[in-house]
Amino acid sequence: AEQRRSGNSDDDYTYIGGLRYDVTETTAVRGSVARKIRFPTLRDLYDITGGNEDLQTEVTQNYEVGVEQQIPDLKAFISIALFHIDATNFIERRDRLFTNIADLTFRGVETTARYRGIENLELTAGYSYLEATNEAPDPGDTSRLQYRPAHKVTATAAYRFDGGFTVTADYLYVAGSYALSSGAGPVTALELDNYHLVNVGASQDVFGTTAQLFGRVENIFDEDYAETLGFPQPGRTFFAGVRAKW
């Protein structure tokens, strides 16, 4: 792949390889290795408030191994995966300017569970742990990276009644996210508040058509939270509408 621009063109390569092996009829192991690149976007390069025309291509080396387990008697599925990512010239906004960060490491674990043992009901749950570290020789007084939560817990439930009426609910818990200070002086890390979000929704198929009526309430408990320091997210929010497929 190649990106051509005035004064600072670049080219690089990617690859991906993976293997999945069925140990038994219900158990499988998998692994993958990949090299990925990301050229700077137009926004990264020329944004009026933070663009940087000297940005280099971002490169990541990705490794993942996992185990998948089917539980037929319960109509359930469980998976767990370990991952490790080494990133070079990672593009991120620092002090309002898009910047290449020399060496970063992301490692952690992701788990997923799904249950369909009750007719018309589907339950899913997940947990992920992330350790994100700035490995550069001078990480700016802290090795932490901002806005990358260490812990995420998710859960969803969906039940479809006869007649095409479906109710859904989902839950998200986020913890261990940090913001880095900007401006003059040593860089310090401020831990953001943990938060819980609960959303509920319902939909109704319109008989004889491909249309569907839907409604949804997000952040039903009006949680006060921010994913990014200084930018609070919406409180309780209502949606309603119609969707159709042709």
Side-chain angles (χ1 to χ4, degrees):
E2 183 177 9
Q3 183 185 66
R4 295 185 180 182
R5 62 182 195 265
S6 121
N8 200 5
S9 298
D10 199 4
D11 60 80
D12 214 320
Y13 67 95
T14 66
Y15 68 80
I16 184 169
L19 178 67
R20 186 178 186 276
Y21 178 71
D22 292 330
V23 180
T24 69
E25 291 184 355
T26 58
T27 304
V29 294
R30 57 183 170 84
S32 64
V33 179
R35 185 182 194 271
K36 301 179 181 180
I37 64 173
R38 184 172 80 88
F39 293 122
T41 65
L42 290 175
R43 179 171 180 261
D44 297 335
L45 294 167
Y46 306 118
D47 181 83
I48 192 170
T49 60
N52 180 0
E53 296 184 34
D54 295 325
L55 288 172
Q56 303 297 311
T57 302
E58 175 184 299
V59 180
T60 59
Q61 187 68 43
N62 306 262
Y63 308 91
E64 182 176 305
V65 294
V67 178
E68 301 173 355
Q69 179 66 52
Q70 301 279 353
I71 309 175
D73 291 344
L74 297 177
K75 294 185 179 179
F77 169 84
I78 299 172
S79 74
I80 181 169
L82 304 176
F83 64 88
H84 181 102
I85 301 171
D86 293 316
T88 304
N89 289 330
F90 198 85
I91 299 171
E92 184 172 276
R93 189 187 285 268
R94 286 286 178 88
D95 292 334
R96 300 185 179 181
L97 180 70
F98 287 104
T99 305
N100 286 120
I101 305 176
D103 297 296
L104 306 182
T105 298
F106 306 94
R107 61 174 68 92
V109 59
E110 294 181 340
T111 62
T112 303
R114 183 174 64 244
Y115 173 74
R116 293 176 175 169
I118 299 175
E119 187 177 3
N120 296 331
L121 175 67
E122 180 172 344
L123 303 175
T124 62
Y127 168 75
S128 65
Y129 170 76
L130 172 65
E131 181 182 283
T133 308
N134 187 345
E135 304 287 358
D138 179 13
D141 303 319
T142 179
S143 62
R144 293 192 183 278
L145 297 177
Q146 62 182 351
Y147 309 136
R148 292 180 174 84
H151 307 279
K152 279 188 177 182
V153 177
T154 61
T156 64
Y159 189 85
R160 183 177 177 84
F161 294 88
D162 295 337
F165 182 69
T166 302
V167 293
T168 61
D170 54 84
Y171 167 79
L172 171 66
Y173 170 70
V174 174
S177 184
Y178 288 82
L180 301 184
S181 63
S182 60
V187 177
T188 58
L190 171 67
E191 185 172 8
L192 302 181
D193 291 339
N194 306 339
Y195 60 87
H196 306 258
L197 293 180
V198 177
N199 310 311
V200 296
S203 63
Q204 174 63 56
D205 295 341
V206 179
F207 181 73
T209 73
T210 60
Q212 187 180 68
L213 305 175
F214 70 89
R216 182 172 173 84
V217 184
E218 295 193 345
N219 193 4
I220 189 171
F221 295 115
D222 202 21
E223 179 87 347
D224 184 14
Y225 75 103
E227 297 174 345
T228 304
L229 186 65
F231 293 89
Q233 296 300 297
R236 187 181 299 112
T237 307
F238 300 85
F239 299 91
V242 180
R243 52 182 167 233
K245 297 179 180 179
W246 286 275

